[in-house]
Amino acid sequence: FRSSDRSSVDARASVIALAHPNDDVRFASRLLRRSRVDSSPRPDALVVRADGSAFRLPTGTAFVDLSTRGALRNILIALATLRVESPGEPLSLDEVIRAGWPGERIGDEAAANRVRVALATLRKLGLRQAIVTARGGYLLDPAIVVDIEPAPDPA
């Protein structure tokens, strides 16, 4: 697999594993990770954990923790997944709202404000150059390499 293909497969596998948590799935996940020849992300990549709990900038060495910030985590993983699967395609405002606050009923003005604040916060946390606005939506810059890596095993 290419790095972006591997990331997409890893992201999907992590979502399935989170939906069906049991020892067999965790064991299979560990075997899959160990079986890869090159499982490390590229050093010049924006690395996003598959559950959105953290990211590492291309120039950074430490991960920025989002584990307690649900909306930011959800928005980042939606942006990263779309970037890997469909580079250059933006998430519309409605898609960002659904990703950040799934199932929540929010007035239009309040929802748009939440998105502006969430994206401003992600930018302040280091993603200023990565998050761009295009064609009425938001996306991770297609010029930036994005790798989605499995979340660390809780066990």
Side-chain angles (χ1 to χ4, degrees), residues 71-125:
L72 298 182
R73 191 175 64 234
N74 293 340
I75 292 168
L76 179 59
I77 197 59
L79 288 168
T81 301
L82 185 64
R83 167 61 184 80
V84 168
E85 293 177 358
S86 302
E89 289 299 313
L91 281 178
S92 70
L93 178 63
D94 288 339
E95 291 169 322
V96 175
I97 293 165
R98 281 194 301 276
W101 301 273
E104 204 171 316
R105 292 175 53 107
I106 313 166
D108 291 344
E109 213 171 299
N113 188 55
R114 283 187 187 190
V115 168
R116 280 191 297 275
V117 170
L119 293 174
T121 302
L122 286 170
R123 287 175 171 132
K124 285 178 189 171
L125 291 171

Side-chain angles (χ1 to χ4, degrees), residues 13-34:
S14 292
V15 168
I16 292 168
L18 288 172
H20 305 284
N22 63 51
D23 290 338
D24 293 334
V25 172
R26 283 190 287 276
F27 178 71
S29 177
R30 273 183 251 150
L31 284 178
L32 178 64
R33 269 185 255 136
R34 286 184 189 145

Side-chain angles (χ1 to χ4, degrees), residues 55 57 119-133 139 141 144:
F55 68 90
L57 298 170
L119 293 174
T121 302
L122 286 170
R123 287 175 171 132
K124 285 178 189 171
L125 291 171
L127 297 173
R128 183 167 313 284
Q129 301 302 315
I131 298 174
V132 296
T133 304
L139 66 148
D141 187 342
I144 295 174

